Amino acid sequence: MDIIKLKDVNKIFVKGNKVLNKINLCIKEGERVALIGPSGSGKSTLIRIIGGFEKIDKGLDSKVEIMGVDRQRDGKLLPESKKINSEIGIIFQQFNLVGRLKLLTNVLIGRLNKTSNLNSFFYVFDKKDKLIALEALDNVGMLEFAHQRASTLSGGQQQRGAIARVLAQEAKIVLADEPIASLDPASSERVMKNLIKLNEKHKKTLLVSLHQFSVAKKMFDRIIAMKKGEIVYDGSPKDIKKKDLIEIYGVYDADEMLT
Ligand SMILES: Nc1ncnc2c1ncn2[C@@H]1O[C@H](COP(=O)(O)OP(=O)(O)OP(=O)(O)O)[C@@H](O)[C@H]1O
Ligand SMILES: [Mg+2]
């Protein structure tokens, strides 16, 4: 089943600048997809549109479908698709956690849509929620930090906390927008391994935007490359050729990137 489907999606913020130009895209349940492309190519906009943070432009045939439900159509976010929100977990480059709250509470926030309105208003969680959150922290190797304030954790630890929150949310789809952009190589590797585990062990569909082509190539089954608002490559990392990289990045060291 196509869990994410975009049809003829356009996005213009400022007249004359097509940020997304007729994007057609299908992602199947359980796929692990890297989204690459130079700065300004539209990766974040695409992720934000799938996440429901940004509206697509009007267009009679345009739509975004998630898990078989129309989420956006003809420039409108459909209110009836709100129930899908809980199925989409999102991890950004930074500021994923509320700094003044304990890590455990941050992870529990992922469970808000599973508790009653009143309980969620007061941040009251039951034992089952806490067990799920603690298990999620254990999964990303962060159990020992459960009671530490999020603001006192390193960037990599915070990202792993964000992954735990998505796990606790029990979302089927995980979108991550440059999750390792501000991390050192060792932390990046740990965060990426945890993200991959979400796909391999927990069977989540994964769409991750990355600037590191080498990471995309090594860890993902499918690469979608964007340039100036269009998809210019969609396929296996194995099949990416030097000419594709030159087209995507306009680079000089394409040989090096392929090795
Ligand atoms: N809210 C907005 N208002 C106006 N222009 C915007 C807005 N959001 C994005 N853009 C423009 O859309 C284009 C694509 O931006 P986007 O953030 O999607 O690119 P990106 O591929 O994620 O880049 P990066 O790799 O630098 O994160 C850019 O030209 C950007 O300036
Ligand atoms: Mg971006």
Side-chain angles (χ1 to χ4, degrees):
M1 178 184 107
D2 287 328
I3 195 162
I4 299 173
K5 198 169 174 179
L6 276 72
K7 191 166 169 280
D8 289 343
V9 166
N10 292 310
K11 184 73 191 176
I12 296 177
F13 289 104
V14 182
K15 219 173 153 194
N17 181 19
K18 271 197 170 176
V19 170
L20 295 180
N21 188 10
K22 249 189 168 230
I23 298 288
N24 284 285
L25 169 67
C26 292
I27 295 177
K28 291 207 179 337
E29 188 166 7
E31 268 193 289
R32 190 200 301 172
V33 184
L35 188 60
I36 64 167
S39 210
S41 55
K43 304 179 298 295
S44 296
T45 305
L46 187 70
I47 286 180
R48 291 173 58 76
I49 279 176
I50 297 169
F53 295 105
E54 205 76 74
K55 278 194 273 189
I56 60 175
D57 286 348
K58 279 192 173 178
L60 281 184
D61 290 328
S62 66
K63 73 167 172 173
V64 177
E65 197 184 292
I66 308 283
M67 295 170 69
V69 178
D70 280 5
R71 186 164 175 80
Q72 300 204 33
R73 217 187 306 127
D74 190 19
K76 289 193 196 73
L77 259 169
L78 305 175
E80 64 266 29
S81 78
K82 262 196 177 160
K83 57 179 189 284
I84 298 290
N85 286 351
S86 63
E87 298 293 358
I88 306 179
I90 303 188
I91 298 163
F92 295 105
Q93 180 178 342
Q94 53 195 147
F95 310 120
N96 280 299
L97 306 180
V98 183
R100 69 189 154 79
L101 298 178
K102 284 196 303 188
L103 179 61
L104 179 61
T105 315
N106 270 284
V107 174
L108 280 164
I109 287 174
R111 307 252 348 128
L112 280 182
N113 52 46
K114 315 259 183 214
T115 61
S116 77
N117 283 341
L118 194 65
N119 279 354
S120 63
F121 185 77
F122 289 108
Y123 281 1
V124 174
F125 300 97
D126 64 20
K127 212 170 165 184
K128 182 181 157 233
D129 286 324
K130 283 190 185 147
L131 278 174
I132 289 173
L134 288 168
E135 199 184 326
L137 280 171
D138 193 24
N139 239 294
V140 298
M142 289 292 293
L143 189 57
E144 61 186 298
F145 301 99
H147 297 285
Q148 202 165 312
R149 266 182 185 225
S151 59
T152 64
L153 299 169
S154 75
Q157 289 168 339
Q158 292 197 25
Q159 287 307 62
R160 282 190 282 150
I163 295 172
R165 190 187 53 205
V166 163
L167 254 182
Q169 184 186 335
E170 294 173 334
K172 287 205 167 59
I173 299 168
V174 177
L175 309 173
D177 193 7
E178 288 192 45
I180 55 169
S182 47
L183 303 181
D184 66 73
S187 311
S188 295
E189 174 131 7
R190 278 177 104 169
V191 168
M192 283 313 301
K193 279 193 173 148
N194 279 297
L195 272 174
I196 299 304
K197 201 160 128 189
L198 284 181
N199 172 259
E200 277 184 345
K201 182 174 168 199
H202 304 281
K203 308 292 171 210
K204 309 211 179 287
T205 306
L206 204 56
L207 177 64
V208 183
S209 83
L210 289 165
H211 268 298
Q212 299 81 350
F213 173 72
S214 57
V215 176
K217 187 174 150 222
K218 194 171 90 186
M219 299 184 131
F220 288 79
D221 317 318
R222 177 176 170 192
I223 290 186
I224 294 176
M226 296 187 68
K227 189 179 182 182
K228 294 183 182 156
E230 293 183 9
I231 293 176
V232 292
Y233 181 90
D234 183 352
S236 160
K238 290 196 301 283
D239 301 330
I240 288 202
K241 306 272 184 317
K242 186 176 168 181
K243 70 167 179 40
D244 298 314
L245 284 177
I246 293 174
E247 180 179 4
I248 299 163
Y249 293 108
V251 278
Y252 29 91
D253 55 353
D255 282 326
E256 208 173 290
M257 289 173 92
L258 279 169
T259 53

